[in-house]
Amino acid sequence: MANRGRLPGTASPEQIVCHADIDCFYAACERLREPALRGEPVVIGMGYEPGTTNGAVATASYEAREFGVESAQAISEALTALPRKIDAAQDDELDVEEAGFYRPVDMEYYESVASEIKEILHERADTVREVSIDEAYLDLTDSTDWGADLRAFAEELKAEIREQVGVTASLGIAPTMSAAKVASDREKPDGLVIVEPGEVQSFFADLAVEAVHGVGPVTAAEMREMGIETAGDLAAADPAALDAAFGERGRRVYRFARGEDGRAVEPKGRPKSFSRESAFTEATADVDRQKQRLQTLAESVAERADQRGVLYQTIGIKVVTPPFDVQTRADSLPGPVADSELVGEVAEKLFGEFAGESIRKLGVRVSKLSFGEQQPSLSAWAEDCGTETQREQSQGETDSQPDGQRSLGDFR
Ligand code: TTP
Ligand code: MG
C-alpha cells in the first residue's frame, strides 16, 4: 500500500493529490440563495453603498471579471468598471446591460456552505487538508488509481458538489501538492486538470513563472531580470544562482518547477471514514466477479483502518449501476470493531439485493470511527452479527463518534 512504511510528512512517490477550489466562492454562495444572480455579473464586497467610500472587492463572478473587476480591488474602481444595476437603471448615461449586482459579505452564510462542501470532500478522501474557506487538498492515493478510474472519480466528485451543494468546483490532480494547486487553476471555472506522474515538469514548462507555487509578482519580476520567464526556465536554471538570489525560497520554487515536492497531504482533523471504490472496465452482471471485487475492497479498507489503529462501527457499500445511479447501503454493528472478515461479510450481505444486476462500480466504506481504543474480544457476537446488526440507510447515518469503548457486555 502506498502509504505504508513512509516517514510522517513525506509523500509516497505514487501519491495522488487532488486540490479542490470552488469557483468565485462568495458569489456562488449568493447565487444559491438568490437564483436571479445566476449568469449575471455579481460583485461581493463592502463599501459600495452610497455614503460609504472605503472598501474592497472580496470576489467577482466570472461575468463581472470580464469587466475587469477582481478580488482585492478598491470598490471605487470596481464601480467605475461595472456600475450597479440600480444606479444604471436611473442614469441615462449608463447602460443597464453593462452593469452588475453588488452584495455585501456574509461570512456566516459562506461558512455554512463551505462546511457542506468539506463534508463531501471528507467523505471522498481519508486525508483532507483544508487550507482556506473554499480550498482543500485531498490525498486520493488509497481511494483510486492513476488511469481512467481517476477521471471518473474526479467527475463524480465534481457532480456531487454541484448536485448536493449547488456550486462548481475546479479540481487539479497531480503527484505533488504544488502541481495539484496549479492544475486546479488552469481550467477554471468548472475545471478538471490531471497531471500524471512523469508529466509534472512538462505541465509546468510553458507556464509563466508566477504559476509556480511560492513565486509572487516581485520574485517573478526579479526572475525575469535573470532571464527566467517560464516555469520551464526556472526548472532549467542554475540552482546556485537561484540560491544566491533568493536563498532557501529559491531552491524551493526550483524544486517545485521540476515537479519535486516531497510533501504529503497532512490532515487537519481526523478522517470520518475509510472507503475504497473500483470500477469494472465495463458494467458486469457476473455475480462471482462482483463478489470477488467486493471482498478485495473490503480487505483493503479494513487493512487501512488497521494500519491506523482505527476501529469502525458502520460498514457500508456503494453500488453504481449504468448510467450513473449511485446507491448506498450501510449496517451498524453494536460496537466498534477492527475485523476484516466481518467487513467482507457485512458488505456481501448488504450486496445481496444487487447481486447479478448490471454494475459499473462498487465501493466499500467503514465509518463511525474510534481512534486509539482497544478492541475487546468480539468473536462471541461477531459470529452472529447477521442477526444483531441494525440496518440503516446511509442517508440517515450520522458521523458522530461513539462515546468510547464500552464493555463487551454492553453490546449484547
Ligand atoms: P479564491 O478561491 O481565491 O477566489 P474565488 O473562489 O472567489 O474565485 P476562483 O477560485 O474561481 O478564482 O478565494 C475564495 C474566497 O475568498 C472568495 O470567494 C472571496 C474570498 N477572498 C477575499 O475576500 N479577498 C481576496 O482577496 C481573495 C483572493 C479571496
Ligand atoms: Mg475559489
Side-chain angles (χ1 to χ4, degrees):
M1 290 262 95
N3 282 337
R4 200 184 305 156
R6 66 181 163 85
L7 296 170
T10 0
S12 73
E14 62 273 49
Q15 177 175 236
I16 308 177
V17 181
C18 173
H19 181 258
D21 188 304
I22 307 303
D23 304 319
C24 59
F25 182 55
Y26 292 3
C29 292
E30 293 299 340
R31 284 171 163 170
L32 278 179
R33 59 179 174 186
E34 195 180 346
L37 299 179
R38 290 180 192 159
E40 297 285 344
V42 180
V43 180
I44 312 299
M46 291 296 188
Y48 55 82
E49 291 290 354
T52 54
T53 44
N54 284 334
V57 174
T59 195
S61 72
Y62 282 77
E63 294 81 357
R65 291 179 198 191
E66 302 217 335
F67 292 87
V69 181
E70 58 184 23
S71 291
Q73 191 174 47
I75 205 86
S76 54
E77 221 178 298
L79 285 165
T80 308
L82 180 73
R84 295 172 75 189
K85 283 262 190 219
I86 53 169
D87 295 336
Q90 291 163 8
D91 188 334
D92 290 344
E93 308 259 296
L94 297 173
D95 181 353
V96 183
E97 292 299 309
E98 308 272 288
F101 294 92
Y102 283 68
R103 295 290 178 269
V105 174
D106 177 356
M107 284 315 294
E108 207 176 309
Y109 178 56
Y110 308 151
E111 294 284 0
S112 75
V113 177
S115 71
E116 287 176 42
I117 298 163
K118 302 280 165 73
E119 213 167 286
I120 293 175
L121 300 181
H122 281 278
E123 281 272 310
R124 283 304 193 124
D126 301 342
T127 307
V128 176
R129 183 175 189 84
E130 299 178 14
V131 287
S132 80
I133 190 166
D134 81 328
E135 195 189 347
Y137 291 94
L138 282 64
D139 185 347
L140 302 183
T141 316
D142 289 327
S143 307
T144 179
D145 292 299
W146 293 106
D149 216 27
L150 178 57
R151 185 161 285 276
F153 184 99
E155 294 285 6
E156 272 176 37
L157 175 56
K158 276 160 63 81
E160 207 172 338
I161 294 171
R162 190 172 57 238
E163 284 155 24
Q164 290 184 24
V165 185
V167 301
T168 58
S170 291
L171 305 184
I173 301 179
T176 65
M177 289 176 75
S178 49
K181 164 95 181 160
V182 176
S184 74
D185 208 39
R186 292 311 294 165
E187 285 181 6
K188 259 181 175 292
D190 204 15
L192 170 58
V193 173
I194 298 176
V195 184
E196 304 249 348
E199 288 178 358
V200 178
Q201 210 169 336
S202 60
F203 164 72
F204 273 118
D206 297 329
L207 304 182
V209 73
E210 291 92 323
V212 179
H213 192 40
V215 179
V218 176
T219 309
E222 288 176 50
M223 286 185 171
R224 290 213 161 83
E225 299 271 299
M226 297 166 71
I228 300 169
E229 299 272 341
T230 64
D233 297 338
L234 177 57
D238 173 11
L242 290 170
D243 195 16
F246 308 103
E248 169 55 32
R249 202 162 49 86
R251 283 199 300 274
R252 186 175 148 96
V253 295
Y254 168 75
R255 285 197 304 269
F256 284 179
R258 297 170 67 85
E260 298 162 10
D261 174 5
R263 291 174 300 159
V265 179
E266 294 291 332
K268 277 192 186 161
R270 287 168 157 175
K272 293 234 175 6
S273 62
F274 292 106
S275 65
R276 170 114 205 170
E277 35 192 78
S278 164
F280 294 103
T281 334
E282 273 179 25
T284 178
D286 181 335
V287 185
D288 289 340
R289 278 186 71 202
Q290 294 173 343
K291 289 191 173 170
Q292 172 127 39
R293 186 69 63 95
L294 204 63
Q295 289 308 323
T296 311
L297 293 168
E299 267 170 41
S300 150
V301 165
E303 186 181 314
R304 270 157 57 211
D306 227 19
Q307 281 165 19
R308 291 164 168 84
V310 175
L311 308 181
Y312 35 86
Q313 189 168 351
T314 298
I315 296 165
I317 61 162
K318 172 172 167 179
V319 178
V320 184
T321 54
F324 292 100
D325 295 326
V326 179
Q327 309 195 61
T328 58
R329 297 289 182 272
D331 261 1
S332 272
L333 305 167
V337 300
D339 185 334
S340 169
E341 265 179 45
L342 190 55
V343 178
E345 275 171 36
V346 174
E348 190 157 324
K349 185 167 66 73
L350 293 169
F351 183 63
E353 67 174 290
F354 303 101
E357 277 182 40
S358 170
I359 291 170
R360 268 191 72 223
K361 186 181 221 180
L362 288 169
V364 173
R365 152 173 288 135
V366 295
S367 56
K368 222 168 175 194
L369 307 178
S370 308
F371 296 82
E373 289 158 2
Q374 291 296 309
Q375 183 187 11
S377 158
L378 288 164
S379 48
W381 66 265
E383 275 163 22
D384 51 26
C385 75
T387 53
E388 286 198 10
T389 52
Q390 187 188 345
R391 164 154 280 221
E392 59 185 10
Q393 301 293 310
S394 56
Q395 286 91 326
E397 215 176 294
T398 64
D399 258 322
S400 62
Q401 299 295 328
D403 299 328
Q405 189 65 63
R406 292 157 296 174
S407 73
L408 182 56
D410 289 344
F411 298 149
R412 289 222 171 90

